[in-house]
Each structure stands twice: as C-alpha cells, then as structure tokens.
Amino acid sequence: MPLRHVPDVPFCCFSAIRAALLIQRWYRQYVARLEMRRRCTWNIFQSIEYAGEQDQIKLYHFFGFLMDHFTPASSERNLISHIFRENEVCRDADWERYFCYKDIEVPDSYCGPHLAFPMTFCGVSKLMEAFKLKQQLHARYVLQILGETWRLLRILPNINHVSVCHTKEITICGDLHGQLEDLLLIFYKNGLPSCEKPYVFNGDFVDRGKNSLEILLILFGFLLVYPNEVHLNRGNHEDHIVNLRYGFTKEVLGKYRVHGKKILKLLQKIFSWLPLATVINHKVLVVHGGISDSTDLDMVARMDRHRVREASSSSQIRVPPPPGALADQHLGPGSEEQHPASLPPQPAHRRRPAELLGGGRAEGEAQAGWVRSDLQRSEDIVNLLWSDPMPQNGCISNEVRGGGCYWGPDVTEEVLGKHNLQLLIRSHECKQDGYEFCHNRRVLTIFSASNYYEVGSNRGYQASRTCRELTLRQRSTRSALRALRQQLFVHKSDLVGAFQEFDPNNTGVISLRHWATATERVLKLGLPWRVLRPQLINRAQHGMVDYQQWIRELSITDIMETMYKNHSNLETIFRIIDTDHSGLISFEEFRQTWKLLSSHLKMEISDKAITDLAQSMDFNKDGSIDINEFMEAFRLVDLSTHA
C-alpha cells in the first residue's frame, strides 16, 4: 500500500494552536478563580447567618439568666417575664373565644377578597390572586383561617404517614422564608395542590422575607381544603422568639395594626401544634432539620408537641407542673402575676427537679424521672428542627448554630435502618443549587427560597438558570464582603487585643499570617482570611499589615460600638420590652434595657451615659424612643463607617 504524502503544516497553524491553548488555559484559570470566589462568598454568608442564629440562642439563654438572678420583685424581671409566661388562656373553650372573629366588621370600602367558609379550592385561588396583586386580606378572614387551621392541627399526629401510589408524584418543598414568588413559581411548574398533586412543606415558612403571612394563609387554606394531600412540618423558625429577631413579628404588626397582636398570639399557638415530621410510603422520612443518635420516631410520635412553644433551645423548654404544685407561690403584693400557672419558671437546666415542679423535695424526687424523660423529649424536638449533617461519623453538639447537633453517616444508617427507611429528606440549610445529597445519597437537603443571601447567591427548588449568572455572582460577592466588613467593625476592640498579642513592641504592624490568625480567633467564622486580605485591607507591604491604621478606619465610640455589635439582640429586646407592640419605649425602659444587657455582657455603663444616649436618640424630643428612632441611630452609625 503506497504511503500518502503528508503536506507540511504551515507555521501559522502552529501559532493558532498555541493561541488556542493559551486561551484555554486562561479560561480555566478564570473559571477556577470564579469558583474560589464563589466558595468564599458562600462561606461568608453562611458563617454570618449561623453566627446570628447562635446569637439568638444566646439571647434566649440571657433571658433565662435574668430570670434566675433578678429577684422576683425587681422591675427588670417583671419587664421580661412575659416571654416565659404560659398563655393567659389555656382551655380549649377559652381559645375558641379568643379566635372569635364575629365582632370584627368588614367595611364596604374593603376591596380585598371575600372568603366563604368552609374553605374551597375557589376560595384559596381567589386568595392567591389577591396576594399577587399586593392586596391584603381583612383581619376577620385571617382570624377565621387561623381558627379553622388550629382546630384541624389539633387532631393531626406528630408524624404524618402518607401513602402515594406509584403513578402519582408528591412534591416536597423546603424553606420558603416569606418569599411568595418562590411558592407561586413552584405551583406554576408543578401544579396547585389537589387530590392528584400532594405536597409536603417542610417548615420555615416565615421570617426574612416580606410575605410570610401570605404564605401561611395560602398553605393553611390548601391544608383546610385538602387535609389528606397537603402536609406541613414545623421548622425552627415556627417559633415566636425567633420571629422577634428575624422579621415575622414586625411584618404582622405592620400589616395589621389593630388585630396584629391577637394574630401573633394565635400563630404562636398554631406553631406549637404543627406536626414534626412526615413519612412517605413507610420509606422516606421528611423532617426540617435532621436527626441525632438518640432519635426514636416511636417516642416522637407519643410526645405532646404543643407543650414545646419555643423550639430555640432544649434547655429552655418548660415542663408543665402537676395541678396545684405552685399553689403557694406568688410574686408578692401588687404584682399582676398572681395566678400560679402564669409564673415564669427558671430554665430547666439550672433547676433541681423539685424546684421545676414547684413541690417539696420528696415530691420533686418522686417526679425526677418523669422530668428527665420530658426534657429528653424536648431535646429530641430541638434536634429534629435544628440539626445538620456532617461528613464525619458520630454525633456532636451543633456549636455553630447554637442548637441541635451535627450527625454523621453512621447515625443516618442507624436511624434509617432502625425504622426500615430508605431516605431522609430535610431542609434547614441553603444550598446553591437548591438541593444536595450527602451520606451516600441517603440524605437529601432541599431549600426552596431562591436568592436567599443576595440576588444570585442560590437557586431555590425549581428555580431556573439565567444568562446573568456571572454578573449576579459578582454582585453577591460584593454584598458578602460588605457584610463581612460590618462583622469586623463590630469586633474592633476584640481585634485590637488579639493583634497586640502578636505585637509585643507595640509597632502597630504584624505579619499577614498573624493578622489572619488573630482575626479568625476573634470572629470564629472559618474563612480563608489570607485569601480575603486584598478585599479587606487596602495597604499591605512585604507581607506586613499596619493594623493600627486599619483599626483607625473602623474607629467609633465604645458605647456605640457595643450597640452596633448587639444590634439584632437589642432590636429583639426592644420588641420584647414593648409588650403592647406600640413601637414606643420610655427613657426608663431604655435604661432598664441597657442594665439588662450590661449585666449579661459583664460591662459597666453609667446611668448618665445611658441617659445622654437616650436623649440623643429621641430625635423629635417627645420623651420616648420609637423603633424608627432606634434603628435610625444604627443607620447613621453604619453610614459613618463608610464616610
């Protein structure tokens, strides 16, 4: 066979190939840098979010500390005792009267949807259309929906067991967090709930977003119409203490100024009756947070879930005393809290069983086993709502969030095997693509709220890709760095102390390695600080950081720094102290707030400094501070850091 002649390859072809290889290498490096930036951005957002949740748990422990250490007659104790108080009405007949809506008139000027009960598919569809048009449902109808929902939830088990034939699909939705557009998108792509299209909504319907109440009303409406096809699990944000911090309380009071307080009270009751889990075809467990090495679904099924009102911390769960156990206790003459059932008990983990039950030592010892059992069940509920999976085997406390646990693949295998289950579906964690498998594909995380941290940060379940992905990621990166700079600012004093440990001669300069070590030691966010240094520090020469110059750029007065550091905590405390939800606190209440905070932070703040600060925040000089003046002061402080 004759050999074919191979023509000479022109030099220009080699140049073209070389250029193509260079372009390919450049593009791969560019994509790698983008991926590294994406991971850093994601870590920043998630670390700050979990730090906020940890602060919420610490704040709840803070209130427990106050209840332990302030005397029963002190004004500080009375100021916050109502958050530990049992609901003023507890019998079903009393709640029926509390849900009553008949004395609320719907005026002729009302242009929103009019609903008929019992609820129908047509009524829920009308409700959805009204919410799309930004219309608000009248308070009378809101109370009617809440009342019907409460009556239905009370007869539901702790764990819903759902059977779906092989020809029918069931849709499982993760966190929605008040983002109505994501719920409507899911309905658009999958169809509305019906006998042929069952749904499981896996908790965290509220907080953060602007339409939490609308989401609840839609979901409650479909639950009333299709109680066998629509299933709602409780999430860690279905908790009135968490709602104080993350926006739902503020949303309801802003939309319903007259009846908002009653609506919140009823929602608190409803949240405590939401089921804890759903099991599909005896093979798939759906729960909001996760499991632990002590999870026993049979025990969960027997719990009195409605007794767990605040799912923020297992140590704060109250054990109801036996009748008459507190009959001889009271807060003293003139106190409003004369009824023994409304006494704010101390946190369970700080009290002996006898004290917890209010009886004598013998009675307490007789009930000790029951108390420990009840506290264990409460801890199990917290684990179901707050836990996260980890790649390592074992089960450890979730110190990052401050509640629940981290569980490993071995725990997944053990719990699923024990109950003859094949898959665990959970939510609770934001994932970039809206879902993520782990533990050998035995655990699936689903998150339905898109753009959770920032526009472009993540896709929700069913969210579509867009051609603006790279631009959105860059915007998300800038937002993450801005949030990180705020965290550095609020820990300025702690950072100075950490830097000085590496600067014994007080030169004001430390190495980049020491800067990164000290910053991580203070913030504990687990971030690659040396990689982030160019975005956080403008000037660094020869691997050295002028930390004194950097700190001067973050400088502000000590008391204002303390306030900014505890910004979210203070807003939560403000709303708790404002018991009538009027949005106003007096100078005296402001002083008491600062005394509470300073006792928790172990810092001294003089009465004069607090008074001067209160007067400076009272912009209209009316002798009281409203929430807008309170938050405006923080906004001005924040702007000053960028001036």
Side-chain angles (χ1 to χ4, degrees), residues 550-613:
W550 183 60
I551 289 297
R552 279 194 291 269
E553 296 173 359
L554 302 176
S555 131
I556 198 167
T557 59
D558 292 339
I559 188 169
M560 282 304 218
E561 179 192 350
T562 303
M563 289 186 67
Y564 197 90
K565 181 184 297 186
N566 296 278
H567 182 180
S568 297
N569 288 342
L570 282 172
E571 182 180 0
T572 305
I573 294 174
F574 184 103
R575 296 193 179 281
I576 289 175
I577 294 173
D578 181 21
T579 55
D580 60 353
H581 300 296
S582 65
L584 294 172
I585 58 174
S586 66
F587 283 4
E588 176 60 21
E589 289 174 328
F590 185 80
R591 185 191 68 80
Q592 291 178 1
T593 301
W594 263 103
K595 288 299 182 183
L596 297 179
L597 185 64
S598 61
S599 67
H600 182 57
L601 298 176
K602 296 180 175 61
M603 61 180 295
E604 292 294 331
I605 301 176
S606 69
D607 287 342
K608 184 180 184 302
I610 297 174
T611 301
D612 292 343
L613 179 61

Side-chain angles (χ1 to χ4, degrees), residues 193-346:
S194 67
C195 294
E196 299 301 320
K197 292 186 180 296
Y199 275 82
V200 176
F201 295 94
N202 199 24
D204 276 14
F205 318 117
V206 302
D207 281 333
R208 302 188 188 275
K210 298 180 180 179
N211 299 109
S212 297
L213 186 57
E214 286 81 359
I215 286 178
L216 283 179
L217 294 174
I218 290 173
L219 296 183
F220 290 165
F222 278 120
L223 176 66
L224 294 173
V225 177
Y226 302 109
N228 296 320
E229 284 76 30
V230 175
H231 309 278
L232 308 181
N233 290 342
R234 185 178 183 179
N236 64 305
H237 278 260
E238 278 67 64
D239 180 329
H240 80 282
I241 297 296
V242 177
N243 299 155
L244 283 166
R245 184 187 189 97
Y246 290 105
F248 183 51
T249 298
K250 181 179 179 181
E251 175 191 333
V252 173
L253 295 175
K255 292 177 178 177
Y256 295 93
R257 298 185 182 277
V258 176
H259 301 285
K261 188 175 180 181
K262 176 180 283 192
I263 291 172
L264 285 172
K265 196 73 175 179
L266 301 180
L267 283 170
Q268 175 185 342
K269 183 76 171 178
I270 288 172
F271 287 166
S272 70
W273 278 103
L274 284 170
L276 301 173
T278 301
V279 174
I280 303 173
N281 289 347
H282 305 287
K283 296 298 181 185
V284 179
L285 172 64
V286 184
V287 65
H288 178 74
I291 56 177
S292 71
D293 54 0
S294 64
T295 297
D296 186 336
L297 297 184
D298 296 329
M299 180 183 295
V300 172
R302 295 192 300 268
M303 293 179 183
D304 291 330
R305 67 180 185 274
H306 66 283
R307 291 182 177 176
V308 184
R309 301 267 168 72
E310 294 83 36
S312 306
S313 172
S314 60
S315 61
Q316 301 289 341
I317 302 304
R318 296 186 297 279
V319 181
L326 300 176
D328 296 329
Q329 297 189 22
H330 57 84
L331 292 180
S335 171
E336 297 179 0
E337 311 304 318
Q338 295 295 330
H339 194 282
S342 63
L343 280 173
Q346 298 177 9

